[in-house]
Amino acid sequence: MSFDSDSPPSSSRDCFFPSPAFIHTPYPTPKYPKYPRRFTANPRNSLPYFPPDPRPPRTPSFRDVSDTPFRDFKYARTRRGVDLSRRAERPQIKEQFNDAVSGPKNEISGVSVEKKSSFVNKIIGFSARGLKIRWQMAASVAILITVFSSLLHKNFSLQNQVNELQDQISKCNIFMDATSSIEKEIDYLPSTNLKNLALILSHTLLSIPFLIFKYVDYVSKSRSLDNISEEVSLNKQLAYRVDVFLSVHPYAKPLALLVATLLLICLGALALYGVTDGSLAECLWLSWTYIADSGNHAGSKGIGWKLVSVSISFGGMLIFAMMLGIVSDAISEKLDSLRKGRSEVVEQNHTLILGWSHKLGSLLNQLAIANESLGGGIVVVMAERDKEEMELDIAKMEFNFKGTSVICRSGSPLILADLKKVSVSKARAIIVLADDGNAEQSDARALRTVLSLTGVKEGLRGHIVVELSDLDNEVLVKLVGGDFVETVVAHDVIGRLMIQCARQPGLAQIWEDILGFENCEFYIKRWPQLDGMQFEDVLISFPDAIPCGVKVASCGGKIILNPEDSYVLQEGDEVLVIAEDDDTYSPAALPRVKEASFKNTARPARKPQKILLCGWRRDIDDMIVVWRGSLPKDFVVPKSTEKILYRGWRRDMEDMIMVLDAFLAHGSELWMFNDVPEKEREKKLIDGGLDISRLLNISLVNREGNAVIRRHLVSLPLESFDSILILADESVEDSAVQADSRSLATLLLIRDIQAKRLPYRDTMVTQAQRGSFSQGSWIGEMLQASDKSVIISEILDPRTKNLLSMSRISDYVLSNELVSMALAMVAEDRQINEVLEELFAEEGNEMHIRQADLYLCEGEELSFYEILLRARQRREIVIGYRSANAERAVINPPTKSERRRWSLKDVFVVIAEKNE
């Protein structure tokens, strides 16, 4: 590029050249070769010659440029383009400079030589500096021009190479297009044939199922003509096979859905391969995308492609609808299984209850109390009821579970699969409840349940407690179950308890305290430190318990109640005690007990009694049977005759009669009042095994009538009976509410009739006995009548208990609750069943309520240990007492060594052998 003054300024140079300050200096630096010609027009003095600097000119840097004293601030802010037109003005500036130099020289010719020489020196120094700056600028411009030229040359060469490469690529593309067109022309005919074949094959495979369904009946009819014996059509056979496959195999539905999806993908791919230009693999993937998302067919082109894609999308919608249905059914089935209690119970050492009855509430309450010391337990209930209904009924029970969890499952105890579902092999105890319906059917079902339990392959870890309704079936159940089974005959237990409580008022409350887990109960445990000690010393070795018997290891683990004082405990023997809990007692050092002399008392002989048996039971013969047992030689209580009334009829009436005959004195009377005809009663008693001619102590008196009708009850001598037993009638025992309503109505009618017939005896009925009831009130009159006779009511519904306890007109027996207590106690420790059987049986020991005058004098101060030792002289074990002004007895008193003053009105609860 030239820097001539004639060339126009270029704006494009702004991006290549900087604008240094020295370019715009107002005093241009003159070139040395032109010095001789610059001042030739004017005369000048001779000046000294300054030769040029032999050193090469230095290229000025930006630092040097910035340090120059000639700086124009108007170019300091913005870098501007260099206006080279100013270079054309340099000759004019030179001429002006020469004129400026020559002019003054002529005018100042008269000035001194010294001034002229100094001025010339200044001008020469100024010219030298300008020359140096010019050389530096020229070198910088040359370098910049060289660099720019090289970059421009390289850019042009690269552009040429790119153009050559593009030409080669275009030639290659033209060659490849020509080659592919040739290949397409070569492969066009075979590819078209394959696509047509795929399209035909897909349509054929789709048509085959429709043809089969359409002509299957025709094939079946043609086969039936050849074989007349074949009656089932082929269509039904195919439908049956499909139904069996879907029913037998659990994963049949998902498998069928998977096969249908794969077939649809394959058929769709074949159809797409026939109508599109893609490969078979691409068509398979495209077919799957149409099935998975029905909106993917929107990009289809052409009529054939669109029809096939729509068909595949429609099939995909059907498949996904089926999949959603299967998944929804599986989830619903699982939730329904959980809701209905069909899932497996993963527990061990739990208590398993099989069946459902009115006793379940009381049973759960007792098990919860028993497990309270362990922080709660697990109780599993399985019955043929809906799980939600069972949980709702259990939630309505008004008691605290005390940390015990109740798990409900729906199933049948007769099915092994249902038994495995509740982990029957890992349960520590299995309770089989009797149904509330017919006794025969209930016991038969219990027998089948025991058979199912014994058939468990894994075996049973715990024992089986079976509730039976009939005593005759006990032997059969024990024969089937063997050593695993413990039986509790509900009717037999209640019948015996009612007889004992009728003869000894207040005994029902004692049994409630002992059988239930709220207070004190029986426990059996071994204490090695007691080996070699006599039983009379063992009696006073437990401050917090009362020993009642010994489990003798040498006799095969037989439990002996009330053993001899001289019996010495051997190694392996266990002690039976009454204690509050199994971890609340332990033996201690023998206390120092003052010897108390035995007090002999003369007791009047009992008179013959008349007993009215109001009602009928199937085991009535067992209640009347005679038994004679040996009594202690040093104390014999003479019996007096009694008169007892049975109201109602039970299926075990013969058993109750035989038991009663064993307890009563000779000459006693048993009256039976119910709506069963007399001839039918006798037949039922004989069928039950009762031989009336064998009754030695009692005589039967039959009366027929309805116990809830007053005029029928008026015909009876109600005021003359010593005890009246109101039985839950057999005809209404299926409904606890109805049975209790009849019993309660009969109780009120009997008490009202007795109150009307007996004169007022204020001395017998005190205000303390009546409580808040006045003498003139109807409850006050009934309380007065209750002093003459004892009425025991069999109550099935626990809610009726509050009514009777408020009125205190009956010493009631809570039937279902006592049976539930016995079941829970046997379930916790099966050895206790042997103790209960002896206490309920006619033989051996039983519970008694003794008057205090047998052991002490009025106002005598004795400790409980001293009374215990006095009772041992009669071969009795005192387990508790009831004060004269107390409503409930105290079992296992806490302070046995503390002496207190006793009254003759106090009574003691003892375990003793039965009297003759």
Side-chain angles (χ1 to χ4, degrees):
M1 296 182 181
S2 85
F3 292 89
D4 297 335
S5 62
D6 297 334
S7 61
S10 176
S11 61
S12 61
R13 295 189 184 124
D14 296 341
C15 58
F16 292 102
F17 299 100
S19 300
F22 63 84
I23 296 177
H24 304 287
T25 55
Y27 303 99
T29 305
K31 297 182 180 180
Y32 290 102
K34 292 184 180 181
Y35 281 139
R37 294 182 297 176
R38 179 174 299 176
F39 304 102
T40 56
N42 299 319
R44 59 186 177 90
N45 298 324
S46 62
L47 299 174
Y49 174 71
F50 294 96
D53 191 359
R55 291 177 299 178
R58 183 173 63 88
T59 303
S61 63
F62 286 101
R63 184 182 300 273
D64 297 333
V65 173
S66 61
D67 295 336
T68 58
F70 307 99
R71 183 175 299 177
D72 195 352
F73 290 96
K74 69 179 182 178
Y75 297 104
R77 295 183 181 179
T78 306
R79 183 174 297 176
R80 300 178 182 269
V82 180
D83 189 3
L84 300 180
S85 62
R86 294 180 178 270
R87 295 182 180 271
E89 300 177 358
R90 289 182 180 179
Q92 298 177 3
I93 297 172
K94 291 178 181 180
E95 293 176 0
Q96 293 175 2
F97 178 75
N98 294 329
D99 293 341
V101 173
S102 61
K105 286 181 181 182
N106 295 328
E107 295 177 358
I108 59 173
S109 58
V111 181
S112 64
V113 178
E114 290 83 1
K115 294 181 179 180
K116 291 181 180 180
S117 61
S118 63
F119 179 75
V120 171
N121 292 332
K122 291 180 179 180
I123 294 174
I124 292 172
F126 176 79
S127 299
R129 288 195 299 270
L131 182 62
K132 183 179 180 180
I133 293 172
R134 279 189 169 190
W135 278 108
Q136 292 176 355
M137 183 187 70
S140 300
V141 171
I143 293 172
L144 291 174
I145 291 172
T146 304
V147 172
F148 176 75
S149 299
S150 64
L151 291 175
L152 189 62
H153 175 72
K154 191 174 184 179
N155 187 14
F156 284 135
S157 63
L158 290 175
Q159 183 67 31
N160 293 333
Q161 293 178 5
V162 171
N163 293 334
E164 292 177 359
L165 289 175
Q166 288 180 351
D167 293 339
Q168 293 178 3
I169 290 172
S170 62
K171 291 179 181 180
C172 292
N173 290 334
I174 293 171
F175 178 76
M176 292 177 65
D177 292 339
T179 306
S180 62
S181 61
I182 295 173
E183 291 178 354
K184 287 183 180 179
E185 291 177 359
I186 295 173
D187 298 337
Y188 177 73
L189 184 60
S191 176
T192 303
N193 294 334
L194 287 175
K195 291 181 179 296
N196 293 333
L197 180 62
L199 192 61
I200 294 172
L201 181 61
S202 62
H203 284 79
T204 303
L205 292 177
L206 285 175
S207 302
I208 288 176
F210 295 100
L211 294 175
I212 292 176
F213 283 115
K214 184 175 182 180
Y215 295 102
V216 66
D217 293 336
Y218 176 77
V219 175
S220 177
K221 291 179 181 179
S222 62
R223 291 179 61 187
S224 62
L225 293 176
D226 299 336
N227 189 6
I228 302 177
S229 61
E230 183 180 0
E231 298 179 357
V232 182
S233 63
L234 185 60
N235 189 11
K236 292 183 179 180
Q237 291 182 5
L238 290 176
Y240 172 73
R241 297 298 179 187
V242 173
D243 186 19
V244 169
F245 176 75
L246 294 177
S247 302
V248 172
H249 301 281
Y251 300 103
K253 293 180 180 179
L255 183 61
L257 182 62
L258 178 61
V259 172
T261 304
L262 295 176
L263 288 176
L264 181 59
I265 292 174
C266 295
L267 293 177
L270 289 176
L272 287 174
Y273 183 71
V275 297
T276 60
D277 296 334
S279 63
L280 186 59
E282 295 175 351
C283 292
L284 285 172
W285 175 252
L286 191 61
S287 177
W288 161 246
T289 58
Y290 290 160
I291 293 174
D293 187 1
S294 59
N296 286 334
H297 68 275
S300 303
K301 299 178 181 179
I303 300 299
W305 192 352
K306 290 182 179 180
L307 290 176
V308 173
S309 63
V310 170
S311 301
I312 296 174
S313 299
F314 182 73
M317 288 188 290
L318 292 179
I319 286 178
F320 272 87
M322 294 169 57
M323 183 185 68
L324 290 177
I326 293 175
V327 173
S328 177
D329 291 343
I331 295 175
S332 300
E333 184 178 356
K334 185 62 177 178
L335 293 177
D336 186 65
S337 175
L338 295 175
R339 181 177 59 85
K340 293 185 176 181
R342 296 175 183 171
S343 60
E344 184 177 357
V345 175
V346 186
E347 296 287 349
Q348 58 182 355
N349 293 327
H350 58 282
T351 302
L352 176 60
I353 301 177
L354 302 177
W356 188 277
S357 68
H358 292 93
K359 306 179 185 68
L360 182 64
S362 302
L363 179 59
L364 291 176
N365 186 22
Q366 294 300 319
L367 292 175
I369 297 172
N371 294 323
E372 183 180 7
S373 60
L374 302 176
I378 302 296
V379 179
V380 181
V381 180
M382 187 178 74
E384 296 182 13
R385 297 186 62 194
D386 187 71
K387 177 189 174 185
E388 293 181 343
E389 294 180 0
M390 291 189 288
E391 291 176 346
L392 184 61
D393 292 342
I394 292 175
K396 293 179 181 179
M397 298 177 182
E398 299 178 354
F399 59 84
N400 186 10
F401 285 97
K402 304 180 186 302
T404 297
S405 301
V406 181
I407 302 173
C408 297
R409 287 294 181 268
S410 179
S412 175
L414 305 179
I415 302 175
L416 289 177
D418 291 344
L419 291 176
K420 293 180 180 179
K421 183 174 61 177
V422 293
S423 300
V424 64
S425 60
K426 299 179 182 179
R428 65 184 180 92
I430 304 169
I431 302 175
V432 181
L433 293 179
D435 295 337
D436 293 328
N438 185 270
E440 298 293 337
Q441 296 178 0
S442 176
D443 289 352
R445 186 176 183 81
L447 179 62
R448 293 180 59 188
T449 303
V450 174
L451 284 173
S452 300
L453 293 173
T454 54
V456 176
K457 295 181 180 180
E458 294 82 0
L460 299 178
R461 179 186 300 180
H463 59 283
I464 307 171
V465 183
V466 183
E467 179 195 0
L468 296 176
S469 301
D470 197 339
L471 186 62
D472 297 334
N473 300 322
E474 183 180 15
V475 178
L476 183 59
V477 172
K478 287 186 176 181
L479 179 64
V480 172
D483 297 335
F484 288 99
V485 174
E486 297 290 338
T487 59
V488 176
V489 185
H491 275 67
D492 182 65
V493 170
I494 296 303
R496 296 173 186 273
L497 280 177
M498 291 185 68
I499 294 175
Q500 292 184 14
C501 295
R503 299 181 61 248
Q504 302 182 77
L507 196 58
Q509 179 258 318
I510 306 299
W511 274 113
E512 284 186 7
D513 291 343
I514 293 179
L515 290 179
F517 287 95
E518 294 94 338
N519 299 305
C520 296
E521 53 273 355
F522 291 105
Y523 292 101
I524 299 178
K525 195 173 183 180
R526 167 163 170 72
W527 301 97
Q529 60 267 40
L530 300 181
D531 292 346
M533 187 180 295
Q534 293 185 354
F535 184 75
E536 62 178 352
D537 295 331
V538 174
L539 279 173
I540 57 177
S541 297
F542 292 90
D544 301 316
I546 297 179
C548 301
V550 178
K551 181 181 178 181
V552 183
S554 59
C555 297
K558 181 180 179 181
I559 297 177
I560 300 177
L561 276 175
N562 191 16
E564 297 283 347
D565 289 341
S566 59
Y567 177 81
V568 179
L569 268 67
Q570 306 296 326
E571 183 179 0
D573 290 352
E574 301 179 19
V575 181
L576 171 68
V577 302
I578 295 179
E580 185 177 0
D581 208 342
D582 56 352
D583 57 352
T584 59
Y585 72 98
S586 61
L590 293 177
R592 299 187 62 181
V593 181
K594 181 181 178 181
E595 292 291 339
S597 60
F598 178 72
K599 179 179 181 297
N600 292 312
T601 58
R603 299 183 59 85
R606 294 186 179 181
K607 299 179 180 179
Q609 299 179 355
K610 292 174 63 177
I611 299 176
L612 172 61
L613 190 62
C614 185
W616 184 264
R617 286 168 51 115
R618 192 169 56 82
D619 58 349
I620 198 106
D621 49 352
D622 295 333
M623 300 178 66
I624 309 175
V625 72
V626 177
W627 175 85
R628 293 181 179 272
S630 60
L631 292 177
K633 298 179 180 180
D634 55 350
F635 180 72
V636 176
V637 179
K639 292 184 178 180
S640 59
T641 59
E642 300 180 24
K643 187 176 181 180
I644 298 178
L645 170 65
Y646 277 3
R647 198 288 304 171
W649 183 269
R650 286 165 52 111
R651 57 178 174 271
D652 57 349
M653 185 67 78
E654 63 276 3
D655 298 330
M656 293 185 67
I657 294 175
M658 288 188 289
V659 171
L660 191 62
D661 184 67
F663 283 115
L664 297 182
H666 181 70
S668 301
E669 294 182 0
L670 174 61
W671 289 55
M672 293 187 295
F673 178 76
N674 49 70
D675 53 1
V676 179
E678 296 185 12
K679 293 182 180 181
E680 187 176 349
R681 293 183 203 175
E682 185 177 356
K683 182 177 180 302
K684 287 184 177 182
L685 293 176
I686 294 175
D687 293 341
L690 176 64
D691 188 359
I692 300 178
S693 61
R694 294 178 55 192
L695 300 177
L696 302 179
N697 295 331
I698 61 174
S699 58
L700 299 180
V701 179
N702 293 307
R703 290 292 185 269
E704 183 178 351
N706 193 342
V708 297
I709 299 177
R710 186 182 183 88
R711 67 175 182 272
H712 292 176
L713 290 173
V714 170
S715 62
L716 299 175
L718 297 176
E719 70 281 0
S720 63
F721 293 109
D722 298 288
S723 302
I724 299 176
L725 279 67
I726 301 178
L727 310 176
D729 202 80
E730 183 181 14
S731 59
V732 293
E733 67 178 357
D734 295 343
S735 175
V737 176
Q738 186 176 359
D740 290 349
S741 300
R742 291 176 61 90
S743 299
L744 186 58
T746 303
L747 171 63
L748 296 176
L749 288 174
I750 293 176
R751 284 303 189 199
D752 184 61
I753 295 173
Q754 289 179 341
K756 294 296 190 295
R757 293 180 181 179
L758 294 175
Y760 294 123
R761 292 172 297 168
D762 296 337
T763 57
M764 298 295 295
V765 183
T766 62
Q767 184 67 22
Q769 291 174 325
R770 289 193 299 264
S772 60
F773 304 113
S774 61
Q775 180 180 352
S777 64
W778 64 276
I779 294 184
E781 296 177 356
M782 293 181 182
L783 286 173
Q784 179 178 332
S786 65
D787 295 334
K788 178 63 173 66
S789 62
V790 176
I791 297 182
I792 302 297
S793 302
E794 182 181 4
I795 302 301
L796 303 181
D797 192 350
R799 291 173 293 183
T800 314
K801 173 183 178 180
N802 297 329
L803 297 175
L804 295 179
S805 61
M806 179 189 67
S807 61
R808 297 193 299 273
I809 58 176
S810 171
D811 193 0
Y812 63 92
V813 172
L814 196 57
S815 173
N816 285 346
E817 190 169 1
L818 288 177
V819 175
S820 301
M821 291 177 180
L823 290 173
M825 185 169 289
V826 177
E828 291 296 320
D829 190 355
R830 63 179 304 181
Q831 303 174 101
I832 304 301
N833 194 29
E834 184 178 350
V835 179
L836 298 180
E837 287 179 352
E838 181 175 351
L839 293 176
F840 292 151
E842 300 89 353
E843 303 177 358
N845 294 271
E846 67 174 352
M847 208 84 70
H848 291 276
I849 296 180
R850 301 292 196 201
Q851 296 295 326
D853 56 0
L854 294 176
Y855 313 103
L856 50 85
C857 299
E858 180 67 31
E860 188 176 4
E861 290 188 1
L862 297 171
S863 66
F864 187 80
Y865 277 139
E866 293 173 345
I867 297 176
L868 187 62
L869 294 179
R870 284 188 177 184
R872 289 305 296 165
Q873 301 180 32
R874 292 188 172 90
R875 188 74 182 278
E876 297 174 350
I877 299 177
V878 180
I879 63 174
Y881 65 89
R882 187 180 69 183
S883 302
N885 54 355
E887 294 184 358
R888 301 187 66 88
V890 178
I891 305 299
N892 183 26
T895 55
K896 300 179 177 63
S897 300
E898 182 180 350
R899 299 174 66 89
R900 54 165 293 182
R901 189 178 301 276
W902 302 91
S903 173
L904 293 180
K905 295 181 180 180
D906 298 336
V907 293
F908 292 94
V909 183
V910 302
I911 295 177
E913 292 186 357
K914 295 177 174 61
N915 301 332
E916 290 184 351

